[in-house]
Amino acid sequence: NAGVMQNPRHLVRRRGQEARLRCSPMKGHSHVYWYRQLPEEGLKFMVYLQKENIIDESGMPKERFSAEFPKEGPSILRIQQVVRGDSAAYFCASSNQGQGLYGYTFGSGTRLTVV
Amino acid sequence: KNEVEQSPQNLTAQEGEFITINCSYSVGISALHWLQQHPGGGIVSLFMLSSGKKKHGRLIATINIQEKHSSLHITASHPRDSAVYICAVLEGTSGSRLTFGEGTQLTVNP
């Protein structure tokens, strides 16, 4: 059981490019959460997904950001036309129940740098 | 004012000292988490609490629901405990996401 796998660990993109961040939840977990940690700031919720459904995207920026969790394969956080302000660590967590009432498992994060 | 406040922001201790990190929150919650984050590393979930007290090794977490306050204690601290400790709450109404404190940077010197 490899836990929550995020890749890549580090991603460098030029302004205007697209960034794709992947998260494979823990085996048996069907709930995925994405969080962002801006430099020198705390973690902030972005989006909560179940397989093929977005449950809560109230933390997602209105433009350029999207997330999916298809029936097969990892969850993807996609950032189009990246800007310097998107540079941050993006963490994924998974749980086997909604609301994480039985706890969350976090991935190691993807550190995005926009140059 | 943040919904989740931690204190202190930074804490330096000598090896062997007893350490306390505090967390206060202003919203109704269904659970509270304590997380550990090492530099450049991922996040590890230490405890999830909805009442009372939990202990794991040298770590103890307590919560007082009436006072909306939780504490994380580390007994016999060690340099390997140096990390950022983060308090996060699962709000009772939204239910689906964690709201995080700003974290406490702990440094334990040998």
Side-chain angles (χ1 to χ4, degrees), chain A residues 76-115:
Chain A
I76 306 285
L77 179 67
R78 183 180 176 207
I79 311 172
Q80 295 178 291
Q81 299 175 318
V82 295
V83 301
R84 288 233 170 96
D86 297 331
S87 296
Y90 292 83
F91 289 93
C92 167
S94 71
S95 68
N96 63 354
Q97 295 265 353
Q99 304 185 7
L101 289 175
Y102 294 93
Y104 298 85
T105 302
F106 284 82
S108 296
T110 293
R111 278 132 188 98
L112 171 66
T113 303
V114 179
V115 297

Side-chain angles (χ1 to χ4, degrees), chain A residues 5-98:
Chain A
M5 302 299 293
Q6 287 190 250
N7 66 81
R9 287 294 303 273
H10 299 275
L11 181 62
V12 179
R13 284 287 177 265
R14 295 187 184 279
R15 281 179 294 171
Q17 290 185 319
E18 178 179 287
R20 280 184 175 241
L21 288 62
R22 296 175 193 77
C23 170
S24 296
M26 235 175 125
K27 188 176 179 181
H29 287 188
S30 59
H31 302 260
V32 166
Y33 312 80
W34 284 94
Y35 299 95
R36 178 166 68 172
Q37 187 174 39
L38 292 166
E40 307 303 322
E41 292 188 21
L43 287 148
K44 297 284 193 297
F45 168 80
M46 299 184 76
V47 63
Y48 163 37
L49 309 106
Q50 291 182 38
K51 286 282 186 182
E52 300 184 277
N53 284 306
I54 296 174
I55 306 303
D56 180 355
E57 57 180 347
S58 57
M60 287 277 271
K62 293 285 185 280
E63 297 176 351
R64 302 187 297 107
F65 284 71
S66 62
E68 62 176 7
F69 188 15
K71 188 176 179 182
E72 301 290 337
S75 175
I76 306 285
L77 179 67
R78 183 180 176 207
I79 311 172
Q80 295 178 291
Q81 299 175 318
V82 295
V83 301
R84 288 233 170 96
D86 297 331
S87 296
Y90 292 83
F91 289 93
C92 167
S94 71
S95 68
N96 63 354
Q97 295 265 353

Side-chain angles (χ1 to χ4, degrees), chain B residues 72-85:
Chain B
L72 176 69
H73 305 285
I74 304 175
T75 62
S77 60
H78 190 276
R80 65 174 174 266
D81 297 325
S82 299
V84 176
Y85 292 84

